[in-house]
Amino acid sequence: MAKKTVADIDVKGKRVLMRVDFNVPLEAGRIGDDRRIAQAIPTIKNVIDRGGKLILMSHLGRPKGGLEAKFSLKPAADRLGELLGKKVAFANDCIGVEVEQAVTAMKDGEVLLLENLRFHKEEEKNDPNFAKQLARLGDIYVNDAFGTAHREHASTFGAAQALQGKPRAIGFLIQKELKFLGEAVSNPKRPFVAILGGAKVSDKISVIEQLLSKADTLLIGGAMAYTFFLAQGKEVGKSLVERDKVELAKSLLAKAGGKIKLPVDTVISDKMSDDAITQIVEGNIPAHLEGFDIGPKTIELYKAEIAGAKTIIWNGPMGVFEKKPFQAGTKAIALAVAEATSKSGATTIIGGGDSAAAIEQFGLAEKVSHVSTGGGASLEFLENGHFSTLDILD
Ligand code: AMP
């Protein structure tokens, strides 16, 4: 059933407590990439343009549980103010008497950003008392932070629970995530091709298992492929592998019945650097060398699968795309996914994290159907098909 969005709620004169993801990269107090703040603007404007009093809460980085100036959200308040063209007030804490007073003094259409939720250890523990204190700040609860929606924290779960009986909705960012990821999980247009890469099999085992029953083809790249090579009895040289996952890789291959495609050639080198000299091998990787990308034959095979697909999900780079000599595989796959969107009308979803960074780096983010705002969250959504934090909303 479709979830209520913020647009379905009358917010005029009401205190709207909204969880956003302002976990932006900060260097010496300056915001680098402000995309996460910019992406939240449509939901924010919807509330303030209709006269809601908007109280925003977020985490930033991984503080140890107390105040740490370098993780303050104050720069995010300033940047949001610039983007909105209006003043955004900032509270030096996220709970307590002073915060409650600041909220009480708010006028319709004003915005207040609370200080980093994770300055309180209770946030990640979903402490009920802390959650209640957050909930006291709102008449309405909105969640628009997909990147943390897979975690039951006080701001994502406990506060929403504590506001039971009051309107509780999702924002437009989460609405879009649910539309694309939800459809892919429950009713994908076929053929459905999943592309999985990145460093470790262990991070993605559950999603591989889930996708085996849902997708028509799984294309594997990245270092993850070499654990599967070991499972096939191939030699992988010094490549990154997880030896304790070889048996599991074997059983996945047996279960897959040919659905899992592995690289047929590999870009190898003796070092992972920008000036690395590379070679291509088919089959075994020599003992003193390491695999860092999929090779040209694999690119062609994978491109053909992608060109024939109607739904594509991509999570994890095909190689060490951060280094130029090992970029070709990831770039070719990014281009192929973009092309499938425009030429075959495929629904194409980039599952956050490093693949989102890669598609941005290649200037192709606008050319796919959806770039997820949550790496871990999108993987978990593909595994489970729902989040408890969103289930409890209206
Ligand atoms: P993950 O977080 O699991 O999606 O992994 C992303 C990281 O995997 C990126 O930083 C890549 O550089 C890295 N990666 C991809 N392929 C390889 C490889 N063949 N060897 C080592 N690292 C790799």
Side-chain angles (χ1 to χ4, degrees):
M1 261 227 318
K3 290 261 145 212
K4 242 188 202 172
T5 76
V6 64
D8 300 319
I9 296 170
D10 178 13
V11 295
K12 173 125 188 72
K14 304 270 174 43
R15 298 170 306 151
V16 180
L17 178 64
M18 182 156 110
R19 178 59 156 101
V20 287
D21 180 1
F22 284 179
N23 184 24
V24 288
L26 269 183
E27 266 171 47
R30 290 183 59 85
I31 296 174
D33 182 347
D34 66 0
R35 220 165 324 157
R36 286 193 167 150
I37 301 174
Q39 282 171 332
I41 300 276
T43 313
I44 289 173
K45 278 184 78 73
N46 181 280
V47 172
I48 57 179
D49 288 353
R50 293 187 295 135
K53 299 171 184 175
L54 184 61
I55 300 114
L56 297 171
M57 50 182 178
S58 176
H59 76 284
L60 174 68
R62 296 182 185 278
K64 295 194 179 68
L67 195 144
E68 284 176 68
K70 66 176 177 187
F71 293 120
S72 173
L73 275 164
K74 176 73 172 68
D78 297 340
R79 180 60 58 89
L80 176 61
E82 286 161 26
L83 293 172
L84 285 174
K86 70 181 282 172
K87 186 173 164 22
V88 170
F90 183 70
N92 289 322
D93 203 344
C94 58
I95 53 163
V97 179
E98 270 182 42
V99 180
E100 288 178 26
Q101 281 168 351
V103 169
T104 308
M106 286 174 80
K107 298 198 179 68
D108 294 359
E110 287 188 349
V111 186
L112 170 72
L113 175 63
L114 306 179
E115 182 55 287
N116 195 343
L117 291 158
R118 291 194 188 165
F119 285 171
H120 294 265
K121 277 202 185 80
E122 294 86 347
E123 158 65 357
E124 288 182 85
K125 291 185 180 144
N126 189 24
D127 177 84
N129 190 36
F130 179 72
K132 273 190 202 132
Q133 293 195 67
L134 289 174
R136 283 164 65 116
L137 306 175
D139 307 307
I140 292 167
Y141 176 87
V142 178
N143 191 347
D144 209 20
F146 185 73
T148 46
H150 57 320
R151 302 273 179 257
E152 288 185 4
H153 292 167
S155 64
T156 60
F157 196 66
Q161 269 181 321
L163 283 164
Q164 192 181 11
K166 304 267 172 65
R168 298 176 296 177
I170 54 171
F172 302 133
L173 275 177
I174 290 197
Q175 182 188 31
K176 187 167 180 247
E177 297 281 359
L178 293 183
K179 171 172 148 40
F180 281 100
L181 292 168
E183 191 120 303
V185 183
S186 60
N187 191 21
K189 288 182 286 170
R190 294 188 183 276
F192 175 11
V193 173
I195 311 163
L196 294 172
K200 292 189 191 155
V201 186
S202 51
D203 289 347
K204 287 170 190 155
I205 279 168
S206 340
V207 80
I208 295 175
E209 276 180 327
Q210 276 302 318
L211 286 172
L212 273 181
S213 64
K214 295 196 174 106
D216 300 294
T217 307
L218 265 74
L219 307 177
I220 305 282
M224 203 205 288
Y226 312 131
T227 301
F228 284 100
F229 281 8
L230 283 181
Q232 291 179 319
K234 287 190 185 140
E235 283 164 31
V236 296
K238 290 188 347 202
S239 304
L240 187 62
V241 287
E242 290 166 282
R243 292 192 186 273
D244 58 333
K245 294 290 177 294
V246 172
E247 284 309 311
L248 197 78
K250 267 187 202 165
S251 77
L252 285 173
L253 286 175
K255 232 191 272 177
K259 268 191 187 181
I260 292 184
K261 310 280 181 217
L262 293 167
V264 293
D265 56 354
T266 305
V267 178
I268 55 171
S269 184
D270 59 351
K271 57 179 182 183
M272 187 199 287
S273 67
D274 281 309
D275 60 351
I277 312 271
T278 62
Q279 301 169 51
I280 312 288
V281 279
E282 292 177 27
N284 292 333
I285 297 172
H288 60 293
L289 297 176
E290 247 178 288
F292 291 122
D293 196 7
I294 56 173
K297 286 193 178 162
T298 309
I299 290 178
E300 290 311 312
L301 285 174
Y302 286 10
K303 271 168 73 175
E305 295 284 350
I306 291 166
K310 286 286 181 223
T311 302
I312 299 168
I313 285 184
W314 178 21
N315 192 299
M318 296 291 99
V320 184
F321 74 103
E322 300 93 335
K323 304 276 177 222
K324 243 196 151 77
F326 314 115
Q327 204 175 68
T330 304
K331 191 169 185 178
I333 296 307
L335 277 165
V337 171
E339 223 172 84
T341 325
S342 58
K343 287 201 179 147
S344 354
T347 302
T348 52
I349 303 166
I350 311 302
D354 275 311
S355 2
I359 205 109
E360 293 285 350
Q361 185 180 316
F362 303 131
L364 296 167
E366 305 302 320
K367 299 213 158 29
V368 295
S369 313
H370 178 61
V371 181
S372 177
T373 53
S378 64
L379 274 180
E380 262 194 58
F381 195 87
L382 292 176
E383 277 166 52
N384 304 326
H386 71 103
F387 288 150
S388 57
T389 59
L390 304 182
D391 293 342
I392 60 167
L393 306 182
D394 301 336

